[in-house]
Amino acid sequence: MAKKIIPLIASTLAVVGAVDPTLKIKTFVDVMPLKWDFDPVKASYWTGLLHHRRTPFAVSRDGNTGYIAYLDPNGTGVHVQHIEPSTMNIKGPDVTIENVYEAGGIVAYNHGFALLGNEPIPSTTSNAPPSGTDYPQGTPVPAIYQIINDV
């Protein structure tokens, strides 16, 4: 599978300001090779119309750890890539969270992250919200995943 490169101009501007506001603005175009193909424009499961899927990005409070989350090419999982915020290079292995159909947001810690995802639950689940969509795996509901890396 070919690796896809994400252009991170806008995200980088936010990172530079968050890490150290005295730094001059830097841009890093096409520097982050991702393990999985990535296409942010997908048909929505609720209308079938094309729209941009979220690609959340976050930097830890100390500015040393960053994470970017993106939907995998088949749309059935979210990949979270650990990066070095000052260079936008990959810092560690990616984490795949299966059966998550969109990444709604991410919070970076010094030693891990928390991801807000959208996962399906079967419509037969007790007290499940009504579906009203053509979501084949069930009703989409928000879920939070926390990953803590070993120190």
Side-chain angles (χ1 to χ4, degrees):
M1 181 179 293
K3 291 185 178 182
K4 182 74 174 180
I5 307 294
I6 289 183
L8 293 171
I9 295 173
S11 297
T12 302
L13 298 177
V15 171
V16 170
V19 172
D20 184 350
T22 64
L23 295 175
K24 293 184 179 182
I25 294 176
K26 298 178 185 179
T27 60
F28 302 92
V29 179
D30 294 338
V31 297
M32 186 188 311
L34 299 173
K35 182 177 178 181
W36 303 95
D37 284 340
F38 171 71
D39 183 0
V41 180
K42 299 260 185 201
S44 69
Y45 55 82
W46 59 92
T47 65
L49 300 174
L50 293 178
H51 74 107
H52 285 274
R53 292 293 174 113
R54 293 178 187 99
T55 308
F57 176 77
V59 176
S60 63
R61 287 184 75 181
D62 67 3
N64 294 323
T65 303
Y67 292 95
I68 187 166
Y70 60 100
L71 191 64
D72 73 0
N74 63 10
T76 59
V78 169
H79 303 287
V80 180
Q81 182 62 60
H82 190 185
I83 63 168
E84 169 60 47
S86 63
T87 62
M88 300 304 282
N89 289 321
I90 292 174
K91 189 173 182 178
D94 70 324
V95 173
T96 299
I97 303 172
E98 299 286 333
N99 297 319
V100 175
Y101 291 79
E102 189 159 14
I106 194 164
V107 175
Y109 306 121
N110 297 341
H111 301 292
F113 64 88
L115 175 79
L116 172 63
N118 195 5
E119 72 175 39
I121 62 169
S123 55
T124 57
T125 303
S126 177
N127 295 321
S131 178
T133 69
D134 293 329
Y135 206 52
Q137 294 76 17
T139 303
V141 296
I144 296 177
Y145 304 86
Q146 185 174 16
I147 306 294
I148 303 296
N149 300 328
D150 291 334
V151 179

